[in-house]
């Protein structure tokens, strides 16, 4: 193998290992330096074997060009970070849970509850004002933030629809109770996903 190819492969693997070790620092538990170092070495070793296998199978240099990007970039991009305004979401969740639990089925639906759902969706999609971040990978909150934002968005839209109907001709008390129960569940799920309390205030 030529020195140029060795340098290219080594550079790619070192960069990949550095990024993956940095991602370990995002875990909710502290990773000892020895473990991080061993993980970095494992990434380089496996990568070296992969490159060697490609050469043994006589793949040409295009594999390390456009084809290589197809294999390497997903590791760098798919497992990325998701950022959102977590503090803003948590500040919304607590008061909303209290307000929903305090409301009785006899009370009409309050459009303020609808606005809170919409504000929650905006907070979860706000990367610029992001105060929270997580990996976009299985078992991490980042993979579900977009889904949670969509859930609040849909609930907000339906809430406005039902609030208008309630104001115009009324809604069955049992339906009001079911809607508020669903909304409380959504807020609790969202707060728990981001590491907040799951129970009542």
């Amino acid at each position: 193998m030529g020195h140029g190819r060795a340098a290219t492969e080594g550079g790619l693997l070192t960069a990949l290992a550095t990024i993956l070790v940095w991602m370990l620092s995002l875990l909710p538990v502290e990773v000892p330096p020895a473990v991080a170092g061993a993980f970095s070495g494992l990434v380089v070793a496996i990568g070296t074997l992969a490159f060697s296998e490609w050469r043994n199978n006589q793949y040409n240099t295009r594999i390390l060009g456009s084809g290589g990007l197809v294999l390497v970039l997903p590791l760098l991009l798919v497992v990325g970070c998701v950022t959102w305004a977590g503090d803003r979401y948590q500040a919304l969740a607590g008061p909303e849970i209290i307000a929903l639990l305090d409301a009785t089925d006899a009370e009409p639906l309050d459009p303020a509850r609808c606005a809170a759902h919409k504000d929650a969706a905006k907070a979860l999609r706000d990367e610029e004002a992001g105060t929270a971040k997580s990996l976009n990978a299985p078992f991490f909150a980042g993979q579900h933030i977009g889904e949670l934002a969509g859930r609040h968005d849909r609930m907000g839209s339906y809430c406005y629809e039902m609030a208008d109907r309630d104001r115009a001709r009324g809604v069955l008390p049992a339906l009001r109770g079911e809607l508020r129960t669903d909304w409380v569940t959504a807020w609790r799920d969202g707060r728990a996903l981001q590491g907040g309390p799951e129970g009542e205030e």
Side-chain angles (χ1 to χ4, degrees):
M1 178 176 62
H3 294 295
R5 180 179 293 182
T8 300
E9 294 177 5
L12 285 172
L13 293 173
T14 300
L16 178 60
T18 301
I19 292 171
L20 293 178
V21 168
W22 171 76
M23 287 181 175
L24 287 179
S25 67
L26 300 176
L27 291 172
V29 296
E30 183 178 354
V31 179
V35 174
F39 178 73
S40 176
L42 182 62
V43 170
V44 173
I46 293 175
T48 301
L49 287 174
F51 278 121
S52 177
E53 184 64 22
W54 287 336
R55 287 193 303 274
N56 290 340
N57 289 327
Q58 296 182 344
Y59 281 92
N60 59 33
T61 55
R62 282 195 298 262
I63 288 295
L64 300 180
S66 60
L69 291 176
V70 174
L71 295 172
V72 174
L73 285 181
L75 294 174
L76 302 178
L77 299 178
V78 174
V79 183
C81 281
V82 177
T83 304
W84 67 95
D87 289 348
R88 196 190 317 162
Y89 183 92
Q90 299 287 13
L92 287 167
E96 282 303 303
I97 292 173
I98 292 175
L100 290 166
L101 291 175
D102 286 346
T104 66
D105 292 354
E107 297 178 52
L109 297 173
D110 188 349
R113 307 286 75 78
C114 315
H117 280 301
K118 292 294 187 179
D119 290 341
K122 291 178 182 177
L124 293 170
R125 292 169 177 150
D126 192 349
E127 297 182 1
E128 294 184 1
T131 55
K133 65 180 178 179
S134 179
L135 288 177
N136 181 22
F139 310 112
F140 289 88
Q143 193 174 44
H144 305 287
I145 292 299
E147 177 185 347
L148 179 62
R151 184 178 177 186
H152 277 294
D153 217 355
R154 291 188 299 273
M155 285 184 162
S157 297
Y158 189 61
C159 174
Y160 277 122
E161 179 184 336
M162 297 305 297
D164 289 343
R165 182 183 302 179
D166 203 1
R167 185 167 55 251
R169 57 182 182 273
V171 171
L172 289 175
L175 178 56
R176 293 185 190 126
E178 290 176 6
L179 289 172
R180 287 174 175 136
T181 298
D182 289 344
W183 297 341
V184 168
T185 300
W187 285 111
R188 284 177 171 169
D189 288 349
R191 194 163 59 169
L193 176 66
Q194 299 173 59
E198 300 181 48
E200 300 177 14
E201 292 297 307

